[in-house]
Amino acid sequence: FSTCLSLAASPPLATMSNFNMDPTKFKKDMGALAFGSALGAAARDYKSQMEAQDEAQAYVKAYQQVAIDEELGDEEALEKLQERRMKELRQEHEKKQEMARKGHGEYRHIGEDEFINEVTSSSLVACHFWHPEFPRSKIMDKHLEILARKYFDTKFIKIDAEKAAFFVAKLNIKMLPAVVFFKNGIAFDRVVGFGELGEVDDFPTSVLEERMLQTDAIKKKIVAKVQSDEEPDAMERRRVYASTLPKEDDDESSDFSD
């Protein structure tokens, strides 16, 4: 019984006694296992990093798209603004062309038969009733010619008072020079003689200009930036011109009806 028992137990003992652990192989196996774990962790980290980069790129693309959309929106708004401005400029140009055809921008002499059409075809008109032999009528001409080029919205014309007796009587003009201002065909203001202009022959154009601005006979908002009429040389030219004219005591104070 004991012999049999001994024989039965001997193989496991022999197996255990013959098992030898290789330290180098064990370290190698464990190192491989550790490397595999590190590699797996690195792979997971790389995947996370790539996902984060993808999310960042997607955000950047979305932001860029929004910026592009906004820029396109700004460009469309700018294009609409430019189109509207171009339309306004075309309309303004057409209006100026129409006004130029009516005589705006220049100082013109008209006849009595043209008077009604001239003062009713424009919203603002300055009409100088003048006499070709009156020195102060000639001085007034010089100033009105300057203002005609400067204030485009107002039409500037002159008419020989002797040849327009009907309108002289209707407007009750008794002294020359007389500048009558019309708005939509109705006389609303006038400058008679030089009393309001300093009662001197060499007054600067700005004095008449300010007088006309007071009653809106000319519109200040459309004034072009030009050199002042009160520059020394310009004033000197006016003084020289005035000094060459013969003085007539009864010019500005004469009753035209006589």
Side-chain angles (χ1 to χ4, degrees):
F1 179 78
S2 62
T3 304
C4 293
L5 180 60
S6 165
L7 290 173
S10 59
L13 291 173
T15 302
M16 291 297 294
S17 63
N18 293 330
F19 179 78
N20 294 319
M21 181 180 294
D22 186 348
T24 303
K25 185 176 182 301
F26 179 77
K27 289 181 180 180
K28 183 177 180 180
D29 292 339
M30 292 303 293
L33 180 62
F35 177 76
S37 299
L39 186 61
R44 288 192 297 274
D45 291 343
Y46 177 76
K47 182 179 179 181
S48 299
Q49 183 178 359
M50 292 301 296
E51 289 177 349
Q53 289 180 354
D54 290 341
E55 290 179 0
Q57 290 177 354
Y59 175 79
V60 170
K61 288 181 180 179
Y63 179 81
Q64 290 175 339
Q65 186 61 47
V66 170
I68 291 173
D69 292 341
E70 290 179 351
E71 184 176 355
L72 291 174
D74 291 341
E75 289 180 357
E76 291 176 358
L78 180 60
E79 288 178 359
K80 290 181 179 179
L81 179 62
Q82 291 176 336
E83 290 176 0
R84 184 167 66 252
R85 181 55 182 158
M86 289 299 296
K87 183 178 179 180
E88 292 174 352
L89 289 174
R90 284 193 297 270
Q91 292 175 342
E92 184 178 351
H93 179 67
E94 291 172 358
K95 178 183 177 182
K96 286 187 175 182
Q97 285 185 320
E98 177 62 24
M99 294 175 74
R101 284 192 289 269
K102 294 179 179 180
H104 289 249
E106 57 182 337
Y107 183 48
R108 298 178 297 114
H109 181 270
I110 66 167
E112 186 178 29
D113 58 334
E114 302 172 280
F115 181 80
I116 295 295
N117 181 63
E118 290 288 352
V119 299
T120 57
S121 61
S122 298
S123 59
L124 288 173
V125 179
C127 182
H128 176 204
F129 287 83
W130 77 309
H131 193 288
E133 296 179 4
F134 286 1
R136 285 195 167 182
S137 289
K138 296 178 182 179
I139 293 172
M140 183 65 76
D141 269 351
K142 296 293 182 180
H143 296 299
L144 293 175
E145 189 173 359
I146 292 172
L147 295 176
R149 295 193 301 266
K150 190 173 181 181
Y151 292 90
F152 192 81
D153 274 9
T154 298
K155 180 194 293 183
F156 288 79
I157 55 178
K158 66 177 180 178
I159 189 169
D160 190 333
E162 279 193 329
K163 297 179 181 180
F166 177 80
F167 297 109
V168 167
K170 284 293 184 181
L171 294 168
N172 196 29
I173 296 173
K174 298 183 180 296
M175 187 186 299
L176 297 179
V179 184
V180 182
F181 306 112
F182 296 84
K183 182 179 293 184
N184 299 321
I186 300 174
F188 70 95
D189 189 26
R190 66 182 63 193
V191 172
V192 180
F194 286 3
E196 297 183 76
L197 307 174
E199 201 59 77
V200 292
D201 289 352
D202 61 348
F203 66 89
T205 304
S206 60
V207 173
L208 177 60
E209 182 179 13
E210 288 298 325
R211 170 61 179 80
M212 294 173 68
L213 284 169
Q214 289 174 8
T215 57
D216 294 328
I218 50 179
K219 295 182 179 180
K220 190 172 184 178
K221 65 179 181 179
I222 64 163
V223 176
K225 291 185 177 179
V226 297
Q227 289 184 339
S228 172
D229 296 319
E230 295 185 81
E231 291 182 351
D233 57 340
M235 293 183 66
E236 182 62 24
R237 286 196 299 271
R238 285 194 291 274
R239 291 192 182 97
V240 170
Y241 174 79
S243 66
T244 62
L245 300 176
K247 299 292 182 179
E248 296 188 13
D249 295 335
D250 60 346
D251 179 12
E252 67 278 7
S253 59
S254 61
D255 189 337
F256 183 73
S257 60
D258 291 343

